[in-house]
Amino acid sequence: MTHLALFPELADDSASTLTGTCGSEPKFVCEQVFEATGGNEALTQIADWLIGRPLSVLATVVVAWIATRIAQRYVRRLVKRIVAPDRDATVRRLAKIGIDNPASLIGTEPVPRRDARATSISDVVGSTITAVIWVVAFILVLGEFGFDLGPFIAGAGIAGVALGFGAQSLVKDCIAGLFMLVEDQYGIGDIVDLGEAIGEVEQVTLRTTVLRSLDGTVWHVPNGEVQRVGNKSQLWSIALVDIDVAYDSDIAAAKNLMLSTATEVCTSKQWSPDVLGEPIVLGVESLGADGITLRMIVKTSPGSQWAIQRELREALKASYDNAGIEIPFPQRTVWVRSNATDPGQPAPTML
């Protein structure tokens, strides 16, 4: 029981003195020292500065550190749970679009690009939460030492607005990068078309995407500058082959030979692991100036469509040559006219 309770008649004066010494909301250490020293203001203020306020600052720092650890841990778990797709739902979605063996595309082990994407998103969100927690802790620490926080907060707000106007492109890149990661538009290892730059994704950050093109050129593309994304290797791909035949060719025989040749290639030991469906001959694609174009498609694993396309063209060339089906080439008629006026000169020749 404090002396204020033992001597109620001194309560008003003591409370006034306590308020003047420790403030309107006295802390535990300040109040206890004030009461223990019989109201000695000097000792109370010294104890408050040497013990009370350092303890408050230490408690604020410890709470902020614990809060950041907990936030980062649960943010990482939540992001991985959201980013990691439902395997069964993905298998059903692939089956609906005609993939014969959709489970082979999903696998049982975690996908590296999925882990990298989850890590990137959790790092960004976790860093933002950490920054907010420590800013609040810093403001509380300043308040412990009696700083007027009004001008400080106002100045920080003005600085934030100025920084936002001065770094609009940086903010735009970061926001676009965050949405790109959340929506899983592309990831490391994908072959993408970003407009001017086409190539394999080597690195994805919140601000830029790094591509390496076929000729070895490394492209650094700011995420805010990407207007559209063409991902050529996500989940599955299509090997598309067009081949021309002469106008006097038997179209039905050419289509049957195309299908049998493609089936032989796709069922071979070398290429069957990358083929996800049977070859489909779509038929006549166009009637050109030099021949008739036949089109065929094959569903493949991501990124293998170009190798399969090259193998199919080589096999079709050999099959058509053996069957006597002409693959036409541009043919032109050239007239050679003589300028001689002698009736005995030869007539114009057609080559």
Side-chain angles (χ1 to χ4, degrees):
M1 183 177 295
T2 65
H3 71 281
L4 297 179
L6 294 175
F7 304 99
E9 65 276 5
L10 301 177
D12 293 339
D13 293 338
S14 298
S16 177
T17 305
L18 178 62
T19 301
T21 303
C22 298
S24 59
E25 297 180 357
K27 295 180 175 58
F28 176 78
V29 174
C30 185
E31 184 176 0
Q32 294 299 317
V33 172
F34 182 83
E35 294 178 1
T37 59
N40 190 314
E41 295 184 6
L43 290 177
T44 301
Q45 291 179 355
I46 292 173
D48 184 43
W49 274 94
L50 296 180
I51 301 176
R53 297 192 181 189
L55 285 178
S56 298
V57 171
L58 179 61
T60 301
V61 172
V62 170
V63 170
W65 182 81
I66 294 175
T68 55
R69 293 294 180 178
I70 294 176
Q72 290 178 355
R73 180 178 180 181
Y74 282 95
V75 163
R76 191 177 297 110
R77 289 184 178 181
L78 179 62
V79 169
K80 286 188 176 181
R81 185 177 302 174
I82 294 175
V83 170
D86 183 354
R87 185 177 185 275
D88 295 335
T90 305
V91 169
R92 290 194 297 269
R93 182 162 61 108
L94 293 175
K96 288 182 179 179
I97 59 178
I99 303 299
D100 295 334
N101 188 18
S104 63
L105 292 178
I106 307 301
T108 57
E109 297 296 328
V111 181
R113 68 184 296 270
R114 185 196 311 162
D115 293 341
R117 173 170 159 252
T119 301
S120 300
I121 297 175
S122 60
D123 288 345
V124 171
V125 177
S127 299
T128 303
I129 295 177
T130 300
V132 171
I133 292 175
W134 282 110
V135 166
V136 173
F138 179 71
I139 294 175
L140 293 177
V141 169
L142 290 180
E144 289 292 335
F145 290 98
F147 287 94
D148 188 2
L149 300 180
F152 175 78
I153 295 176
I158 295 174
V161 172
L163 181 63
F165 278 107
Q168 293 184 42
S169 60
L170 179 61
V171 174
K172 178 182 177 182
D173 292 341
C174 292
I175 293 177
L178 179 61
F179 277 102
M180 180 273 296
L181 290 172
V182 171
E183 296 172 359
D184 192 22
Q185 297 177 7
Y186 53 84
I188 297 175
D190 285 348
I191 307 297
V192 297
D193 180 352
L194 301 183
E196 294 293 332
I198 302 175
E200 181 179 356
V201 179
E202 289 192 343
Q203 184 179 2
V204 178
T205 64
L206 198 62
R207 195 183 70 83
T208 61
T209 296
V210 180
L211 304 179
R212 185 177 294 274
S213 63
L214 186 61
D215 61 359
T217 303
V218 177
W219 295 88
H220 297 263
V221 183
N223 293 326
E225 300 297 324
V226 178
Q227 300 298 320
R228 50 96 174 139
V229 177
N231 194 328
K232 300 183 179 182
S233 57
Q234 193 170 46
L235 292 182
W236 55 274
S237 301
I238 289 288
L240 188 148
V241 176
D242 288 338
I243 189 166
D244 293 343
V245 297
Y247 271 96
D248 58 355
S249 301
D250 186 341
I251 301 300
K255 290 169 58 179
N256 291 334
L257 183 58
M258 173 182 279
L259 181 60
S260 61
T261 302
T263 301
E264 182 179 352
V265 171
C266 293
T267 55
S268 64
K269 183 178 180 180
Q270 179 181 0
W271 300 106
S272 58
D274 293 320
V275 176
L276 304 179
E278 296 180 356
I280 300 176
V281 177
L282 300 179
V284 177
E285 177 64 21
S286 65
L287 302 175
D290 302 307
I292 300 173
T293 302
L294 302 179
R295 171 165 292 184
M296 175 184 60
I297 60 173
V298 180
K299 287 184 179 179
T300 69
S301 59
S304 64
Q305 66 269 32
W306 295 287
I308 294 179
Q309 286 174 177
R310 289 190 288 269
E311 183 68 20
L312 287 172
R313 293 190 187 102
E314 182 178 346
L316 287 171
K317 173 64 168 62
S319 297
Y320 278 20
D321 287 346
N322 293 334
I325 298 177
E326 180 184 358
I327 299 178
F329 54 89
Q331 303 182 37
R332 298 292 182 267
T333 299
V334 180
W335 289 80
V336 180
R337 184 179 296 277
S338 175
N339 293 328
T341 58
D342 188 353
Q345 293 294 329
T349 305
M350 182 181 69
L351 300 179

